Amino acid sequence: MGRFYATTPIYYVTDAPHIGHAYTTVTTDALCRWRRLLGDEVFFLTGTDEHGLKVARAAADAGHSPREHADLMSARYRDAWDHLDISYDDFIRTTEPRHYAAVQEFLQKIYDNGDIELGVYEGPYCVSCEGYYAESDLVGPNDDLCPIHNKPVEELREENWFFKLSRYEQRLLDWYAANPEVVQPETKRNEAIGLIKTGLRDVSITRTSLDWGVPVPWAPGHVFYVWYDALINYVTAIDYRTSDAGRFEAWWPKAHHLLAKDILRFHTVYWPAMCMAAGIDPPHRLYVHGYLLVGGEKMSKTTLNMIAPADLTPEFGVDGFRYHLLRDTNFGSDGDFSHEGMVARYNADLANNLGNLVSRVATVVGKACGGIGPAPSPDSPLATVATDVLAAATDAWERVRPNEALEASWRLVRETNAYLEANEPWKAEAGPAVDRVMGDALEALRIVTILASPAMPTICREIWRRLGLAGAPEQQRLPEAASWGGYPGGLTVEKGDPLFPRKK
């Protein structure tokens, strides 16, 4: 049994959870569910980022204290993830005492090592992304807009403490050369290396213009700037430098960060350098995905195109929503969300294929087999398909390509429907020939239900129950559980209501 430590970014509490946040979180959840099927010990971390100027301003605008605002918004993320059946093991908040202690110890270590020095920051600052920029980074007709948010930056001048990032330029390049798989996909790795090769400037990590943050232990009046507080959450949650040091040592080498491309710089340049400066290894893997676009644009308050998961789940169900997020976007590339596309995918894959297969199998077993499922044939033509599908899905999940994994799994759904069409058991006399066909179809469904459970855990539990099987699909262990011949026969098969009513 291996270990798998997976993290989402911690989400900033100025925005309500929308489907872009859900895409990262559902993908991480499905990946963790897959690793549990493999028998790995999994630790899944998500949470909220609650400090900084943007939060303080948002709280003031709402008539709240920063703490009140953070409490309210953090609860909204918890509610959203619980609604979407996210199987997280820990939900961290950067306002927790455990995180304050970890941040202060982590950055004190870097300070003691001589890599944090006092200086003056003067230049452009984007409040929306809590990011400092060089003049050359800015965009727009007047070169005064943040390249991420396309909004005007502010000019700041403060005495700050600086992390000496410039000292880590060659070490980072050497690390990337020695670990070519660390950032995926390759295009994002190349982007990270490109950022380093353009030259790294020292970065401000503290602020004196606000007090909503983690106090700097060696400099009263300073608080840590939000990113250098937030990134440390990944080690806080696994007991960095606490009495349980063994837990950190066990989990940190297995860290897998999932994140969107707008925070690539912080995770693939600043964070590995910070880890090096603190005397720990950088993260094991970073998986960077594109944006989930609406009408060709990134979701934002400015464009008023943010869609909450709860806007869609009443129509498509939680599992239908999860399936669409995972199936319709190639991880690493931008995806374009539309209601029409969601309806088309739902009808094609769920209503017409999987839902129809479950219904017709239960109907024929009820009529021709007395409601008792026959055992499959060991030499079924579907057995080879199932073997190929398991191999393809396993490879895709390993590469963090949920869309490819689900496409592979649905091959077995399509092939089973075609097998039924070719044999037409609904027209044949009850007997061994029909039993053979239906036993094969039941076994294919059993395997599909296991393979699809990371995407649709609730629906797959229901299919499993209707097949008469004990336990639940998430309790099975791969690859053995997906080997052909696991359906025992002799079980009562239940028809039930349609799982995926067609949408118009």
Side-chain angles (χ1 to χ4, degrees):
M1 181 176 69
R3 282 194 173 95
F4 187 77
Y5 174 31
T7 73
T8 71
I10 50 174
Y11 301 109
Y12 216 30
V13 293
T14 52
D15 284 340
H18 57 62
I19 60 173
H21 302 125
Y23 175 63
T24 314
T25 308
V26 169
T27 299
T28 310
D29 179 67
L31 185 61
C32 286
R33 290 177 182 275
W34 177 262
R35 299 301 294 227
R36 294 186 191 109
L37 285 175
L38 295 178
D40 286 349
E41 184 181 0
V42 172
F43 186 71
F44 175 12
L45 176 68
T46 189
T48 45
D49 181 4
E50 302 179 11
H51 290 129
L53 180 59
K54 187 163 64 167
V55 173
R57 287 183 179 177
D61 290 344
H64 299 147
S65 71
R67 166 65 72 175
E68 289 169 338
H69 180 81
D71 288 347
L72 176 67
M73 295 299 292
S74 182
R76 292 182 70 175
Y77 277 92
R78 277 187 181 270
D79 291 345
W81 301 159
D82 291 346
H83 176 64
L84 293 179
D85 202 6
I86 304 301
S87 61
Y88 58 85
D89 296 294
D90 193 357
F91 188 101
I92 192 167
R93 299 180 58 186
T94 55
T95 51
E96 295 179 57
R98 61 170 172 164
H99 186 61
Y100 273 52
V103 168
Q104 290 175 330
E105 186 156 356
F106 189 98
L107 290 168
Q108 182 74 52
K109 178 82 170 180
I110 299 176
Y111 174 78
D112 292 344
N113 289 341
D115 281 330
I116 295 178
E117 296 180 355
L118 190 63
V120 174
Y121 176 79
E122 184 171 12
Y125 178 78
C126 174
V127 176
S128 293
C129 60
E130 297 280 11
Y132 295 99
Y133 288 99
E135 298 285 351
S136 59
D137 294 328
L138 304 181
V139 299
N142 299 317
D143 293 327
D144 62 349
L145 303 181
C146 166
I148 299 297
H149 293 92
N150 217 34
K151 294 164 63 175
V153 296
E154 299 183 9
E155 290 292 321
L156 292 184
R157 187 182 192 281
E158 278 190 355
E159 181 181 78
N160 295 163
W161 289 88
F162 284 74
F163 171 51
K164 305 299 287 185
L165 180 65
S166 59
R167 296 175 180 171
Y168 286 84
E169 188 171 313
Q170 190 57 50
R171 284 189 64 181
L172 286 168
L173 291 173
D174 292 344
W175 177 63
Y176 274 107
N179 300 276
E181 302 299 318
V182 71
V183 173
Q184 298 181 25
E186 185 179 0
T187 54
K188 300 299 189 280
R189 171 183 176 271
N190 293 339
E191 185 176 340
I193 292 172
L195 289 171
I196 299 166
K197 287 185 174 180
T198 60
L200 298 180
R201 301 183 301 274
D202 299 338
V203 289
S204 169
I205 66 168
T206 73
R207 300 291 301 275
T208 56
S209 57
L210 74 161
D211 58 9
W212 181 237
V214 179
V216 178
W218 66 84
H222 287 253
V223 295
F224 287 114
Y225 158 58
V226 61
W227 274 104
Y228 301 90
D229 150 13
L231 289 163
I232 296 168
N233 91 90
Y234 301 130
V235 298
T236 298
I238 51 173
D239 294 332
Y240 170 77
R241 295 294 186 267
T242 69
S243 57
D244 190 5
R247 185 165 180 262
F248 174 78
E249 299 298 335
W251 284 105
W252 182 239
K254 307 299 182 182
H256 296 70
H257 298 329
L258 279 78
L259 57 135
K261 66 181 183 180
D262 58 339
I263 52 177
L264 178 144
R265 176 194 300 266
F266 299 103
H267 282 79
T268 65
V269 180
Y270 297 176
W271 178 227
M274 289 169 63
C275 290
M276 293 174 183
I280 66 173
D281 289 335
H284 177 62
R285 290 287 184 272
L286 299 107
Y287 297 101
V288 185
H289 65 75
Y291 296 141
L292 194 60
L293 306 174
V294 177
E297 294 186 347
K298 182 178 182 287
M299 278 172 280
S300 71
K301 288 182 178 178
T302 304
T303 56
L304 301 177
N305 64 351
M306 295 191 300
I307 302 171
D311 294 337
L312 299 167
T313 53
E315 181 177 1
F316 297 98
V318 168
D319 280 4
F321 172 79
R322 288 172 57 105
Y323 180 83
H324 175 77
L325 288 184
L326 296 167
R327 178 64 184 85
D328 259 33
T329 301
N330 180 28
F331 191 92
S333 304
D334 289 345
D336 203 351
F337 175 85
S338 72
H339 185 269
E340 295 78 8
M342 194 168 183
V343 169
R345 177 64 67 186
Y346 176 96
N347 283 337
D349 286 13
L350 301 182
N352 294 350
N353 273 291
L354 179 58
N356 184 50
L357 178 60
V358 172
S359 179
R360 74 199 315 190
V361 166
T363 298
V364 175
V365 169
K367 291 180 178 178
C369 307
I372 304 299
S377 170
D379 58 354
S380 168
L382 293 176
T384 300
V385 177
T387 299
D388 294 344
V389 162
L390 174 61
T394 300
D395 175 68
W397 281 115
E398 182 65 27
R399 293 182 290 109
V400 190
R401 293 293 188 275
N403 63 313
E404 295 179 21
L406 292 171
E407 169 60 21
S409 302
W410 254 249
R411 179 191 164 198
L412 185 53
V413 176
R414 293 191 298 271
E415 295 271 5
T416 305
N417 273 318
Y419 179 67
L420 293 177
E421 292 288 347
N423 287 277
E424 298 184 320
W426 45 84
K427 293 183 179 179
E429 293 290 331
V434 170
D435 288 350
R436 173 189 173 98
V437 170
M438 299 320 298
D440 292 351
L442 286 163
E443 172 63 349
L445 267 178
R446 184 191 70 85
I447 293 172
V448 166
T449 301
I450 297 170
L451 299 183
S453 65
M456 302 192 300
T458 301
I459 286 290
C460 288
R461 284 185 215 112
E462 174 61 12
I463 297 172
W464 191 264
R465 186 192 67 79
R466 291 187 187 188
L467 298 183
L469 294 161
E474 64 264 31
Q475 296 170 342
Q476 311 310 303
R477 292 295 172 262
L478 297 173
E480 292 81 6
S483 299
W484 188 263
Y487 188 78
L491 304 178
T492 300
V493 176
E494 180 183 319
K495 189 174 191 308
D497 294 331
L499 295 170
F500 305 103
R502 280 186 57 82
K503 306 298 177 186
K504 295 182 181 179

